[in-house]
Amino acid sequence: MTGRFYEITPEIMELANKCSASSIIPSELYTKYNVNRGLRDLNGKGVLVGLTHISDVCSTKLVNGEYIPSEGELYYRGYNVKDLVKGIAPDSHFGFEECAYLLMFGELPTKEQLKNFCGLLSEYRTLPTSFVRDIIMKAPSKDMMNTLARSVLTLYSYDDRANDISLPNVLRQCLQLISLFPLLSVYGYQAYRHYHDGASLYIHTPQPELSTAETILHILRPDSKYTPLEAKLLDIALILHMEHGGGNNSTFTTHLVSSSGTDTYSVIAASLGSLKGPKHGGANIKVVQMFEDMKRTVKDWTDEDEVGKYLTALLHKEAFDHAGLIYGMGHAVYSLSDPRAVIFRGFVEKLSQEKGYEKEFALYSLVERLAPEIIAKERKIYKGVSPNVDFFSGFVYHMLDLPLELYTPIFAIARIAGWSAHRLEELSQNGKIMRPAYRNIGERKEYVPIDKR
């Protein structure tokens, strides 16, 4: 294709301006018609559209008949995620598989059940013959989320029961996708690095005895080596990212598209498209990039005034990407704290000491303290602002020497467990197709024949 095919021509610009002018909706109309824009009220609370057993995101508590902000809590099937993480001893099993079992089947597995479940995932961790050569190696993309979505959609063609949405078959498909996401993501990255950057190509075969976290490190690194601490920290990251209520954008997408009765591969590809967005799963990349810009711009990382001025410049659209955001701060639900960030913080501090990133951790800690104060001064907010899980996750991945291109796919490798649980729950209800309403505010017009315009 010629360069003109991708060019933003004057004609396209003119049509885009027409599109923009015809799409503007005055903000006051949302209040007039009582429309909760973005399916959220002014306090950021989501509009209730469904019921779930799978997880619960808590940010308020009832005091004297009134809900007030509280420290955030996250529950998987009724279990506090803090307790789930604490229950995994440093020298014991890995927790991602245990929590995946919990999310999908509603109970914690016994040792024997967990062993069998891990064996099943290991058995499914095999791609179809020639899939790597024919699909992943051809036309590799610099965006691993697009590569992952394309691979998922292509797996449809290799499944003789792709359209069967009976619960046993969908469970089989979901377990296979949980098993294959590490391979699809990392192999896609290896192909891109080889064909675009000229790097050596490494396609390591997965080992049946390895956990999901270990598999990622094994097939990613040229020598397949990693420390127990690295694998454990990555496992914790997967646990903290695997589920976050039915209302987050990508999980709601899973429910929404599943309600249409379509196949598993189409549903998960749609969820991947949602997760890719910088306002959702792509946020941790923005956090890392923002801090890299901050480290270049701020001369003294310990100077509160200088760091504060940079944060203010971010809000004024005068720094970094000029979006007016301090990435990693604030959450749609949490106000006082994000429990995932709280859990992560302790591990981040330990890892920074072992990896020699104490100065960077001190800068993160300073921003963590200053940003909420600065945001409160500059913006009208309806609830508290605190660091979210993305504030620390990118820093952890950086210290683990994971490439930036895989940050969001690692989120997907974790979240596919939650998506699977929600898809199974949605299909179990055999409910109606989701069909929300939009109010039309356009005026009625008389048609004018083209020769009279």
Side-chain angles (χ1 to χ4, degrees):
M1 296 179 182
T2 64
R4 181 173 168 79
F5 189 85
Y6 306 102
E7 182 184 349
I8 304 299
T9 63
E11 293 90 343
I12 290 293
M13 282 299 302
E14 181 181 354
L15 291 172
N17 289 334
K18 285 178 177 288
C19 179
S20 177
S22 66
S23 301
I24 296 173
I25 297 176
S27 59
E28 59 268 20
L29 292 183
Y30 288 92
T31 303
K32 177 181 177 180
Y33 294 118
N34 193 29
V35 176
N36 288 308
R37 189 176 186 182
L39 293 179
R40 289 189 284 175
D41 62 21
L42 289 177
N43 294 314
K45 186 177 181 181
V47 175
L48 194 61
V49 297
L51 302 173
T52 182
H53 288 291
I54 297 168
S55 68
D56 193 15
V57 181
C58 304
S59 62
T60 60
K61 60 182 179 180
L62 188 62
V63 177
N64 297 326
E66 182 180 355
Y67 284 98
I68 63 172
S70 65
E71 300 296 335
E73 299 286 354
L74 174 61
Y75 295 87
Y76 291 174
R77 293 283 187 173
Y79 294 94
N80 194 313
V81 72
K82 294 178 183 177
D83 296 329
L84 292 172
V85 171
K86 286 180 182 177
I88 304 165
D91 57 348
S92 71
H93 65 284
F94 289 85
F96 173 76
E97 290 76 14
E98 180 180 7
C99 291
Y101 186 102
L102 170 65
L103 290 178
M104 286 191 288
F105 308 121
E107 61 183 17
L108 288 169
T110 64
K111 285 185 178 180
E112 187 66 22
Q113 288 172 331
L114 182 59
K115 179 183 177 182
N116 294 337
F117 182 65
C118 289
L120 187 59
L121 294 179
S122 177
E123 182 182 338
Y124 281 145
R125 193 162 278 150
T126 303
L127 286 166
T129 303
S130 303
F131 190 92
V132 175
R133 182 196 66 196
D134 296 342
I135 307 303
I136 294 177
M137 293 296 175
K138 291 188 177 179
S141 169
K142 64 180 180 180
D143 192 296
M144 295 308 107
M145 289 296 285
N146 281 19
T147 295
L148 183 54
R150 182 185 67 179
S151 295
V152 168
L153 285 173
T154 305
L155 283 172
Y156 174 96
S157 302
Y158 291 80
D159 188 343
D160 292 338
R161 301 181 64 183
N163 290 319
D164 179 356
I165 61 170
S166 65
L167 217 59
N169 191 59
V170 170
L171 174 60
R172 185 266 305 174
Q173 292 170 330
C174 288
L175 292 174
Q176 288 174 343
L177 289 174
I178 291 171
S179 300
L180 293 177
F181 261 38
L183 307 188
L184 298 176
S185 301
V186 176
Y187 288 171
Y189 169 73
Q190 302 286 26
Y192 170 74
R193 285 272 291 141
H194 176 65
Y195 289 108
H196 286 265
D197 297 343
S200 297
L201 179 61
Y202 297 95
I203 303 294
H204 296 307
T205 303
Q207 302 300 309
E209 71 277 8
L210 298 184
S211 68
T212 301
E214 291 173 305
T215 295
I216 294 170
L217 296 173
H218 163 67
I219 63 177
L220 174 63
R221 296 183 172 175
D223 60 4
S224 292
K225 293 181 179 179
Y226 52 88
T227 67
L229 174 62
E230 289 177 318
K232 275 292 180 182
L233 284 176
L234 185 53
D235 183 59
I236 299 259
L238 295 177
I239 293 171
L240 295 179
H241 283 89
M242 67 193 302
E243 168 59 12
H244 205 243
N248 72 79
N249 197 281
S250 59
T251 303
F252 178 65
T253 299
T254 301
H255 275 281
L256 179 69
V257 183
S258 289
S259 76
S260 75
T262 193
D263 66 278
T264 299
Y265 303 100
S266 296
V267 169
I268 300 304
S271 301
L272 285 166
S274 164
L275 189 70
K276 177 189 173 184
K279 294 181 181 180
H280 193 6
N284 55 14
I285 294 177
K286 281 290 189 178
V287 174
V288 171
Q289 293 172 336
M290 178 187 73
F291 268 96
E292 289 302 312
D293 183 73
M294 190 186 310
K295 289 189 287 186
R296 289 190 297 266
T297 304
V298 175
K299 294 180 181 180
D300 184 355
W301 297 357
T302 63
D303 188 321
E304 291 191 15
D305 290 337
E306 192 176 1
V307 173
K309 288 179 181 178
Y310 179 86
L311 296 176
T312 301
L314 284 174
L315 294 179
H316 291 175
K317 301 183 179 181
E318 298 169 350
F320 184 41
D321 62 356
H322 307 286
L325 299 171
I326 300 178
Y327 291 100
M329 300 302 302
H331 190 270
V333 178
Y334 298 122
S335 53
L336 299 186
S337 65
D338 180 338
R340 302 167 301 171
V342 173
I343 294 169
F344 234 161
R345 195 185 195 285
F347 292 101
V348 171
E349 186 171 10
K350 292 178 184 177
L351 187 61
S352 68
Q353 293 169 353
E354 292 197 13
K355 293 279 190 176
Y357 282 92
E358 291 94 341
K359 291 183 179 179
E360 283 83 356
F361 179 73
L363 177 60
Y364 271 78
S365 298
L366 182 57
V367 172
E368 177 187 15
R369 178 165 59 85
L370 294 179
E373 301 172 3
I374 292 172
I375 292 172
K377 290 179 182 178
E378 296 285 332
R379 301 273 171 87
K380 182 178 181 180
I381 56 176
Y382 298 94
K383 61 185 184 67
V385 177
S386 60
N388 57 48
V389 68
D390 296 314
F391 186 79
F392 289 116
S393 63
F395 186 35
V396 169
Y397 298 156
H398 176 67
M399 290 190 288
L400 289 175
D401 296 320
L402 302 178
L404 195 69
E405 293 88 345
L406 283 178
Y407 285 13
T408 312
I410 288 173
F411 197 156
I413 290 170
R415 190 55 64 88
I416 178 63
W419 292 339
S420 296
H422 281 278
R423 173 160 171 75
L424 292 164
E425 187 176 65
E426 179 66 33
L427 293 177
S428 295
Q429 306 310 308
N430 194 28
K432 296 180 179 179
I433 185 173
M434 291 187 187
R435 208 302 190 176
Y438 269 68
R439 183 181 184 122
N440 184 277
I441 58 170
E443 61 183 30
R444 299 291 188 264
K445 302 173 184 177
E446 291 292 331
Y447 176 77
V448 179
I450 192 167
D451 57 350
K452 292 183 180 181
R453 293 175 207 164

